[in-house]
Amino acid sequence: MKYTTFNQESNDTMKEPMFFGSPVNVARYDQQKHPIFEKLIEKQISFFWRPEEVDVSKDRMDFQKLSDAERHIFTSNLKYQTLLDSVQGRSPNIAFLPIISIPELETWVETWSFFETIHSRSYTHILRNLFTDPSEIFDDIVVNEEIAKRATDISKYYDDLIFATQLWQTKGEGEHVVDGETHLITMRELKKKLYLCMNSVNALEAIRFYVSFACTFAFAERELMEGNSKIIRLIARDENIHLTSTQHVLNLWAKGKDDPEMAEIAAECHEEAKAIFLKAVQQEKEWAHYLFKNGSMLGLNEEILCQYVEYIANHRMAAIGMGQPFEIKSNPLPWMNNYLNSDNVQVAPQETEISSYLVGQIDSEVASDDFEAFEL
Amino acid sequence: MRVDGLHSVFSESDDKSLLEHLESNNIEVHYHCREGYCGACRTKLNEGNVDYHIDPLAFIDDDEILPCCCKPTSDIDITLY
């Protein structure tokens, strides 16, 4: 079915599934099939921040004091996070928007992606401050083998869904030959690709950032690289809300509260989806191994970091009905919670002299006695 | 209040959220945002009722609660994950 940017047929979005229904026409939010997405949009927008608000200048001095092993840990993590947000800044838009059929979810995806672009810009902000020429760091993201391994797994489910959607939207259902390769396009296949893609994104938001977060906050515990840590705290706060959204989508499907066919697919592909999550866990552990190959850092080592990945994976897999596959029961890095708590993240705008905070601060209540002192 | 089968007392006049109460009783609960949007503190409610002072945005199942943004309104029985 050809995509249209404004579906001219009247449709009742209250009856549409989240994906693969009629394309959205009017961006209206007065009625919502799944009001949770509108609530997430409001919450996410209330979190708006700019990288430039955070002063990272002291980090440059701290960075000079780090050992070579620690510098490797720090820059490798920034590279990996840059990759993750490069993908997340564009892919939800390209993969999901053409097939979404309710306006509140469409706007949520746009809002979500926009915040990922803020994250990407913040990495440049951090790196520009640390290196006179950050090109070398950025260039290595495409060449570095350890990062490439992860990039393949992160992008492949998106790419599969995007390609299948393009074939479906241009040629419809059926067998299509492209560059000598035959592709079977059916609605069922498209929905399966969507389901697997959503699981891969969910795993990304759930655990792929956390090895890196742990290292950043371990530096901050030693009062090092604190500007960077402030930025990462803001990023972590956003990622938590993104994760909430993918958990909602997966659970709406699995519990039959949206498209009934997606509930069937969720049951059918349960093991495959679980394997996607477990592979991400494995890759994060391998990443921890790569980070500490030249030596560990104070307060963290490979073993404890792997335990933390398992601990967080348990919680996040349970949230989408995948059980808790790992033994670990208590948090091996309890201090992490202090950095992920939004009370410790909030910047009070009125205290940092941001004039835009005052927009709309007008007293609209005017009583007739307010004019008593006036004379004509 | 019963947590993982053990008793604990929650006084009605208490201003604390269920999460803060559990913490002040030295019961370890996983948390991140403490504002209802991340779901890290998701807990199973076996019996009883709670009232939310912040609208929970994180996904919770019908038999689950977010201790960071609610208070019990009756005797409750919960299981921590």
Side-chain angles (χ1 to χ4, degrees), chain A residues 140-158:
Chain A
D140 186 54
I141 296 171
V142 187
V143 206
N144 185 306
E145 256 179 54
E146 287 299 318
I147 294 181
K149 266 196 243 166
R150 284 152 188 82
T152 315
D153 276 294
I154 291 162
S155 56
K156 97 176 165 207
Y157 295 98
Y158 272 128

Side-chain angles (χ1 to χ4, degrees), chain A residues 29 37-38 40-46 93 97 104-118 241-242:
Chain A
Y29 315 98
F37 297 111
E38 170 71 7
L40 291 176
I41 294 166
E42 279 178 11
K43 192 78 183 170
Q44 175 71 91
I45 292 176
S46 78
N93 279 344
L97 291 184
E104 64 273 24
L105 180 58
E106 181 180 57
T107 308
W108 162 250
V109 168
E110 287 166 327
T111 310
W112 166 18
S113 289
F114 168 62
F115 273 80
E116 307 283 20
T117 66
I118 297 180
I241 205 165
H242 302 164

Side-chain angles (χ1 to χ4, degrees), chain B residues 4 7 15 20 22 32 34 37-39 46 49-50 52 58 60 65 75-76 79:
Chain B
D4 290 343
H7 279 289
D15 228 13
E20 285 166 333
L22 290 166
H32 282 175
R34 303 180 83 93
Y37 65 82
C38 81
N46 304 313
N49 294 302
V50 296
Y52 284 96
I60 36 171
I65 53 167
D75 289 347
I76 57 165
T79 308

Side-chain angles (χ1 to χ4, degrees), chain A residues 164-221:
Chain A
T165 303
Q166 285 171 343
L167 277 184
W168 173 65
Q169 287 181 334
T170 47
K171 298 182 174 177
E173 292 187 46
E175 278 191 11
H176 308 297
V177 181
V178 181
D179 295 332
E181 221 182 294
T182 310
H183 302 272
L184 175 68
I185 302 295
T186 62
M187 189 39 74
R188 185 84 177 187
E189 275 306 307
L190 283 163
K191 287 184 179 176
K192 261 190 205 173
K193 286 186 195 303
L194 169 63
Y195 181 71
L196 295 178
C197 181
M198 195 58 77
N199 271 284
S200 155
V201 182
N202 180 71
L204 184 158
E205 300 281 0
I207 53 166
R208 288 208 189 262
F209 286 96
Y210 282 81
V211 165
S212 174
F213 288 169
C215 294
T216 299
F217 300 146
F219 281 121
E221 284 280 285

Side-chain angles (χ1 to χ4, degrees), chain A residues 67 85-86 102 115 152 177 269 274:
Chain A
S67 68
D85 281 307
S86 303
I102 56 172
F115 273 80
T152 315
V177 181
C269 300
K274 199 171 163 181

Side-chain angles (χ1 to χ4, degrees), chain A residues 76-363:
Chain A
S76 300
N77 278 326
L78 269 184
K79 286 179 198 170
Y80 185 25
Q81 280 191 248
T82 307
L83 163 81
L84 292 174
D85 281 307
S86 303
V87 173
Q88 286 303 89
R90 70 175 70 96
S91 315
N93 279 344
I94 300 173
F96 300 143
L97 291 184
I99 53 176
I100 284 178
S101 16
I102 56 172
E104 64 273 24
L105 180 58
E106 181 180 57
T107 308
W108 162 250
V109 168
E110 287 166 327
T111 310
W112 166 18
S113 289
F114 168 62
F115 273 80
E116 307 283 20
T117 66
I118 297 180
H119 304 173
S120 294
R121 289 175 54 256
S122 70
Y123 303 136
T124 301
H125 178 61
I126 295 167
L127 287 169
R128 255 194 204 140
N129 171 64
L130 294 182
F131 301 95
T132 321
D133 178 17
S135 290
E136 199 187 311
I137 307 286
F138 286 120
D139 292 344
D140 186 54
I141 296 171
V142 187
V143 206
N144 185 306
E145 256 179 54
E146 287 299 318
I147 294 181
K149 266 196 243 166
R150 284 152 188 82
T152 315
D153 276 294
I154 291 162
S155 56
K156 97 176 165 207
Y157 295 98
Y158 272 128
D159 294 352
D160 257 13
L161 174 65
I162 291 168
F163 183 68
T165 303
Q166 285 171 343
L167 277 184
W168 173 65
Q169 287 181 334
T170 47
K171 298 182 174 177
E173 292 187 46
E175 278 191 11
H176 308 297
V177 181
V178 181
D179 295 332
E181 221 182 294
T182 310
H183 302 272
L184 175 68
I185 302 295
T186 62
M187 189 39 74
R188 185 84 177 187
E189 275 306 307
L190 283 163
K191 287 184 179 176
K192 261 190 205 173
K193 286 186 195 303
L194 169 63
Y195 181 71
L196 295 178
C197 181
M198 195 58 77
N199 271 284
S200 155
V201 182
N202 180 71
L204 184 158
E205 300 281 0
I207 53 166
R208 288 208 189 262
F209 286 96
Y210 282 81
V211 165
S212 174
F213 288 169
C215 294
T216 299
F217 300 146
F219 281 121
E221 284 280 285
R222 291 160 57 197
E223 296 178 6
L224 291 171
M225 313 303 287
E226 285 177 305
N228 176 72
S229 151
K230 259 183 205 160
I231 288 185
I232 301 298
R233 260 189 251 181
L234 292 161
I235 291 176
R237 180 176 68 169
D238 294 339
E239 299 306 348
N240 254 333
I241 205 165
H242 302 164
L243 172 68
T244 286
S245 80
T246 53
Q247 287 177 346
H248 273 290
V249 170
L250 291 172
N251 281 310
L252 284 168
W253 282 337
K255 294 181 187 301
K257 292 179 181 167
D258 192 66
D259 180 351
E261 198 178 7
M262 288 308 287
E264 286 172 32
I265 291 171
E268 194 183 309
C269 300
H270 181 77
E271 286 307 308
E272 209 175 329
K274 199 171 163 181
I276 289 175
F277 208 111
L278 291 172
K279 186 159 187 206
V281 170
Q282 189 49 39
Q283 284 187 331
E284 287 317 289
K285 291 181 185 170
E286 284 165 20
W287 181 250
H289 178 74
Y290 169 72
L291 288 178
F292 295 126
K293 72 180 169 93
N294 302 334
S296 24
M297 59 185 284
L298 218 60
L300 263 192
N301 59 37
E302 184 184 336
E303 198 189 337
I304 202 160
L305 208 44
C306 290
Q307 286 172 359
Y308 186 69
V309 172
E310 290 188 350
Y311 174 74
I312 211 139
N314 263 353
H315 274 269
R316 281 149 183 213
M317 288 178 81
I320 48 168
M322 289 182 177
Q324 302 204 350
F326 302 103
E327 285 291 313
I328 187 151
K329 286 279 170 267
S330 69
N331 190 349
L333 302 176
W335 47 263
M336 279 285 283
N337 290 353
N338 299 331
Y339 291 90
L340 298 163
N341 169 359
S342 52
D343 268 359
N344 297 339
V345 175
Q346 292 288 0
V347 187
Q350 67 276 28
E351 288 167 16
T352 53
E353 295 173 41
I354 298 170
S355 59
S356 58
Y357 179 73
L358 299 172
V359 171
Q361 298 299 302
I362 296 167
D363 185 358

Side-chain angles (χ1 to χ4, degrees), chain B:
Chain B
M1 177 163 68
R2 192 183 271 273
V3 185
D4 290 343
L6 299 169
H7 279 289
S8 173
V9 183
F10 196 104
S11 74
E12 257 179 67
S13 59
D14 223 326
D15 228 13
K16 291 176 188 159
S17 68
L18 177 54
L19 176 62
E20 285 166 333
H21 180 75
L22 290 166
E23 286 171 337
S24 61
N25 281 275
N26 293 319
I27 300 167
E28 187 194 326
V29 187
H30 183 45
Y31 71 84
H32 282 175
C33 76
R34 303 180 83 93
E35 242 183 71
Y37 65 82
C38 81
C41 63
R42 215 165 42 91
T43 297
K44 191 155 184 227
L45 178 67
N46 304 313
E47 222 183 288
N49 294 302
V50 296
D51 226 7
Y52 284 96
H53 50 275
I54 298 173
D55 191 13
L57 299 187
F59 172 80
I60 36 171
D61 224 329
D62 300 335
D63 60 350
E64 291 174 333
I65 53 167
L66 289 181
C68 72
C69 52
C70 75
K71 281 177 207 166
T73 53
S74 70
D75 289 347
I76 57 165
D77 181 333
I78 57 175
T79 308
L80 304 171
Y81 290 118

